[in-house]
Amino acid sequence: MPRTMYDKIWDHHVVEDRGNGVVLLYIDRHLVHEVTSPQAFDGLRASGRPVRRVDSIIAVPDHNVPTKDRNLPNPDPMSTAQLEALEANAREFGLDYIDMNDDRQGIVHVVGPEQGFTQPGVTLVCGDSHTSTHGAFGALAFGIGTSEVEHVLATQTLELKKSKNMRVTVTGELPLGCSAKDVALAIIGAIGTGGGTAHVIEYAGPVIEALSMEGRMTLCNMSIEAGARAGLVAPDEKTFEYLKGRPYAPKGGQWEAAVNYWKALKSDEGAHFDKEITIDGSQIVPLVTWGTSPEDVVPVTANVPGPDDYTDPAKKEAVEKALDYMGYAAGTPMTGFKVDRVFIGSCTNSRIEDMREAASVIKGRKVADHIIEAMVVPGSGLVKLQAEEEGLDKVFTDAGFEWRDPGCSMCLAMNPDKAGPGEHVASTSNRNFVGRQGPGARTHLVSPAMAAAAAIAGHFVDVRNF
Amino acid sequence: MEKFISVTSIATPFPRVNVDTDIIIPAKHLKSIKRTGFGEHAFETIRYEADGKLIPDNVFDGERYKGAKILIAGDNFGCGSSREHAPWAIAELGYRCIIAPSFADIFAGNCVKNGILTVALKQEEVDALVLAAEAGHEIHVNLNDQAVTCQNAKYEFDFNPAHKEMLLNGLDEIGQTLQSGTAIKSYEDKQKLMTPWLFRG
Ligand code: SF4
């Protein structure tokens, strides 16, 4: 029977069939960060259990690290305790640990691929929902909770029920001025934040094939915002090219064997998908979110919708609440809408290509006067170095952006990087939830080019004619 | 893990759709390295004013639903991050069961690990339970029968059989899995030959 890529990876990792669709699934790779792991290590200690396979793990701090001057003492004692706990646990259990001051440090979902740790066909988990990012390589990658982190540390497995197969095909060719972020937002706008619930989404079609690895990561990253457990893209020459020579990638004679194995992963002709969606990629335009859910998305050229645009009473109420929180009236045009703060970063858009995309827009221009702060936070130390080598940091700082050290930063506002109450933020991150970037902060999700343009103009603009 | 067999209690109606994990527990409260202490910050923006004052009569703290062990929620409850701090916080508010039209996958999985039952019912059934909760009626949830009863109504629900067994028996899941040690070992031995590049040393 023809199988999907998800079926193949799943079948390959079944250790035991528990019946009723539940299996014990083997986990190849595990990324560990400071926020969701301390309680798991405590659990291991309390029950006297060792870590089963230390060679399957990379531990790196990201959510809570300061992004400004790491030589100064961290002013937050709780944050310090969490960072110290990660280091102590990594040392005690003998894990590969990347220190905060190491050039390789960064957001787990940037570090994994960069180190060649993320590979096609593997099962990869992390105590973070955006683990879906790694699906860009054809890895079955998904977020887990802290109890599951402990379970994987102790047993290298998870007891799981299989999700359903869904395929999102993006046809045509992406217009100039649009990037992977717009594709992700267009998909979520079309299917809603519950559209992928209980499914694993495989992205296919010419637009996906044409995306770079960075673009595919941006897209898979936001699978979780569409409700899906994971996203997948079939590995191809671009994938192999990206991985070759990276520290954890197969070496010598194993490289050929690995590539052959990876090539066989793509979905078979005629494989069954429980749900199929097709989106015309040539119709995608630069998008902006106006509300407090990633599905609240409109073309930058459109107006903010209102409750009257919906029939479902629950949706009407949600729209009213969102408008109230965001502080504007239905019908407000998105272009011309004032922005107070700009954030370019997060595991969605902090890779070298994102840095280049943003820099190309601002080159030789200045951040608008009223912008309180515009910051660029590279996804890893290696991205930062690469950008500096290309002179991008100069482009940003000359324009008036802050050039920071790598971490999650204002994506979730756990550290001092946050927006004030009522401020509108043009952000390249993935969640515009109430209070996500600080209490009362109002987030608008956009692509790096759109965020950069908003910083210069001081309001949202259509980057296609900027 | 705490067992879950059944619960009978009044319920808190909170039928807002797409309630995300940042609403359940904001990121700034995730810095603790313990499993406890999250309850006071649960649903912070719904329970407290911006200046930290408790909003009188909010559904979670008001007299009306005091002692409720069941939360009636809206569609796509628990979407967003994988933070297990969300069910930890909800458990500290005293809830043992959440009923909603649907749940985010990771959130539902995290609830099981903490002895919280998530029951997915049809939208109209949840709507009926919201009315019952507002009227102060008791609701009975039984995992063995996979049924919710309230006054004369009875609603059956689907539940993952593996999770059901875990909840009913309060099993230590890691201990259970370690009993499959031989199977895990032989899987690994096979993989070392098939995909040796995934192993080191
Ligand atoms: S950048 Fe944001 S979404 Fe990504 S891992 Fe960090 S906090 Fe999560």
Side-chain angles (χ1 to χ4, degrees), chain A residues 54-386:
Chain A
V54 290
D55 67 334
S56 70
I57 301 165
I58 292 182
V60 59
D62 58 0
H63 282 62
N64 214 342
V65 295
T67 63
K68 208 175 181 172
D69 211 342
R70 289 199 181 150
N71 297 318
L72 294 176
N74 189 334
D76 181 347
M78 286 190 84
S79 148
T80 307
Q82 207 166 49
L83 293 165
E84 284 174 352
L86 180 70
E87 178 164 3
N89 285 324
R91 302 236 185 277
E92 178 183 338
F93 289 93
L95 315 180
D96 278 7
Y97 171 69
I98 300 178
D99 183 83
M100 196 167 76
N101 298 308
D102 191 309
D103 285 340
R104 298 169 302 156
Q105 181 269 337
I107 306 170
V108 273
H109 310 312
V110 176
V111 171
E114 210 167 61
Q115 293 302 316
F117 184 75
T118 305
Q119 293 170 16
V122 300
T123 45
L124 183 152
V125 297
C126 172
D128 186 281
S129 59
H130 290 99
T131 308
S132 59
T133 312
H134 308 263
F137 291 80
L140 177 58
F142 50 90
I144 56 177
T146 299
S147 295
E148 289 172 313
V149 169
E150 184 181 341
H151 197 275
V152 174
L153 290 172
T155 72
Q156 212 61 39
T157 64
L158 284 171
E159 196 172 74
L160 293 170
K161 199 170 173 173
K162 197 176 171 190
S163 304
K164 285 187 252 178
N165 279 292
M166 173 167 175
R167 181 162 57 190
V168 176
T169 305
V170 188
T171 59
E173 201 180 324
L174 208 55
L176 223 61
C178 292
S179 63
K181 182 61 162 286
D182 298 301
V183 180
L185 289 172
I187 293 170
I188 297 160
I191 68 175
T193 49
T197 302
H199 290 76
V200 164
I201 300 179
E202 179 174 336
Y203 299 98
V207 165
I208 312 302
E209 284 159 30
L211 287 178
S212 64
M213 289 315 293
E214 281 85 355
R216 293 177 191 177
M217 286 188 251
T218 299
L219 179 62
C220 286
N221 174 274
M222 292 195 72
S223 305
I224 191 78
E225 272 64 52
R229 192 70 207 260
L232 282 171
V233 173
D236 59 11
E237 289 304 325
K238 273 185 206 167
T239 320
F240 311 147
E241 188 56 37
Y242 179 99
L243 285 172
K244 199 160 189 180
R246 295 195 182 255
Y248 285 79
K251 305 254 158 25
Q254 288 188 349
W255 173 258
E256 288 302 317
V259 170
N260 283 334
Y261 174 69
W262 296 342
K263 280 183 177 162
L265 289 167
K266 64 169 185 284
S267 291
D268 296 329
E269 196 72 42
H272 174 74
F273 287 89
D274 303 281
K275 201 167 172 182
E276 287 251 28
I277 305 280
T278 302
I279 287 177
D280 182 354
S282 60
Q283 296 302 313
I284 292 176
V285 295
L287 297 166
V288 188
T289 61
W290 57 267
T292 55
S293 163
E295 71 185 20
D296 296 342
V297 67
V298 285
V300 64
T301 49
N303 300 340
V304 174
D308 296 344
D309 297 318
Y310 299 87
T311 46
D312 175 16
K315 186 72 198 174
K316 269 183 193 292
E317 200 196 322
V319 170
E320 250 166 56
K321 281 223 165 72
L323 288 178
D324 185 45
Y325 181 81
M326 296 301 283
Y328 42 48
T332 311
M334 248 7 279
T335 26
F337 199 83
K338 193 165 144 278
V339 167
D340 304 300
R341 206 177 269 273
V342 178
F343 171 62
I344 297 175
S346 91
C347 57
T348 316
N349 284 124
S350 64
R351 298 177 184 82
I352 189 66
E353 195 171 89
D354 305 312
M355 303 286 117
R356 290 180 191 139
E357 183 184 315
S360 72
V361 173
I362 61 169
K363 202 159 188 161
R365 292 159 143 165
K366 289 264 181 259
V367 170
D369 283 343
H370 72 267
I371 300 275
I372 301 166
E373 187 175 50
M375 61 160 113
V376 188
V377 186
S380 73
L382 294 177
V383 170
K384 189 174 187 202
L385 286 177
Q386 169 80 31

